[in-house]
Amino acid sequence: MASREIVQTNTMHSRLLIAVLLVATTGCHDGILYQMKRANPYYRAEWKRDQKLGTTFVQRQNELKLLSSSIASMSPEQQAEWSGRLEQLIAHDPSAEMRAEAVRIIAKIPGESTLRALNMASTDKSEKVRLVACQAWRDVGGDAAKDMLLTLVNNSNEGVNVRQTAIESLSAFDSEEVRQTLTRLLDDRNPAIQYHTVQSLRKMTGRDYEGDLQAWKDYMQGQDVPEPAGSIAKTLSDFLPIKR
C-alpha cells in the first residue's frame, strides 16, 4: 500500500512538471517557471506581448490549480522546491491574480519560505493579494501569523477590507493581546470594523451580546454580563458545553 502511494505521488508530481513544460514548449509562457527568465529584458517584452493575447493567463491559472490540488501529496523535498518557486512568483509576478493564487498554495507548505512569502504578500500593492494573505495567515497559525494580523489591524492607513479580513482571522488566535486589540476596536469609528470585531469575539468567546457594544466591552473587561435571552450563543449553550 505504501509503495502504491509513493508511485501515485511521484506520478502526480510528474504530471505537474509535464504540464509546466508543455506550456513552455507551445510558444506561450513558461508558466510557474517564468520568473527564472524574468531578469532578461527579451523575456520581459515577450511576457507583455503574451499578456495581450490573453491565452497565457488562463493556462497559468490552470497550472496553479493543478499545483494546488497536488501539493499536499508531494514529498517534503518536492514541496520545498515548489515553495521556493512560489515565493519568487509572489515577489515578482506582474499579475495580482497569479500572486494571490500562489499565496493560497504556499500557505499549505510549512517552512521559512512560506513565512517570507506571506510577509511580502501582506504588504503587496494589490488589495486582493493582501486579503488572501490575511486568510492564509489564519491557516498557517503561530506567533508570526498573529503578529502580522495585529499589525494589519492596527494600521490606520490600511484599507477597511483588509482590516476586516484580518480581524476575522484573529478569531483563531485567542490570546490576551488579541483580546485587548479586539476590545479596543469596539470603539472604532467605522461601523464595519465594529461589526467584524463583534463577529470575531463571538467565535473566540462563545458569547453573544449581539450589537450591544457596551455589553461586549464590559464582558471583555471581566464583568459578569448576562447574555440576551434570545441570543444564538445562549440558545446553543443550553445544549452544548461551550468553553468560556
Side-chain angles (χ1 to χ4, degrees), residues 80 83-88 90-91 103 106 109 111-123 137 140 144 148:
S83 180
R85 293 174 180 173
L86 290 167
E87 181 183 0
Q88 291 301 309
I90 293 167
V103 169
I106 203 169
I109 310 172
E112 291 299 319
S113 291
T114 296
L115 297 182
R116 287 194 302 267
L118 292 187
N119 278 323
M120 284 191 294
S122 298
T123 57
W137 280 123
V140 169
M148 178 54 77

Side-chain angles (χ1 to χ4, degrees), residues 30 32-40 43 85 88:
D30 291 49
I32 297 173
L33 302 182
Y34 96 99
Q35 70 277 2
M36 298 176 67
K37 297 180 179 179
R38 185 173 171 77
N40 188 314
Y43 287 109
R85 293 174 180 173
Q88 291 301 309

Side-chain angles (χ1 to χ4, degrees), residues 20 23-24 29-35 47 56 60 63 89 93:
V20 174
V23 173
H29 208 274
D30 291 49
I32 297 173
L33 302 182
Y34 96 99
Q35 70 277 2
W47 174 245
T56 301
R60 296 178 69 229
E63 287 180 25
L89 189 154
D93 199 289

Side-chain angles (χ1 to χ4, degrees), residues 12 17 30 36 45 79 94 97 111 134 142 162 197 222 227 229 239 243:
M12 183 66 72
L17 290 173
D30 291 49
M36 298 176 67
Q79 289 182 343
E97 292 287 341
C134 289
V162 173
T197 299
E227 297 174 80
F239 299 94
K243 185 177 180 181

Side-chain angles (χ1 to χ4, degrees), residues 23 128 155 160 170 181 207:
V23 173
K128 177 167 187 172
N155 183 2
V160 173
L170 277 176
T181 296
R207 309 288 288 196

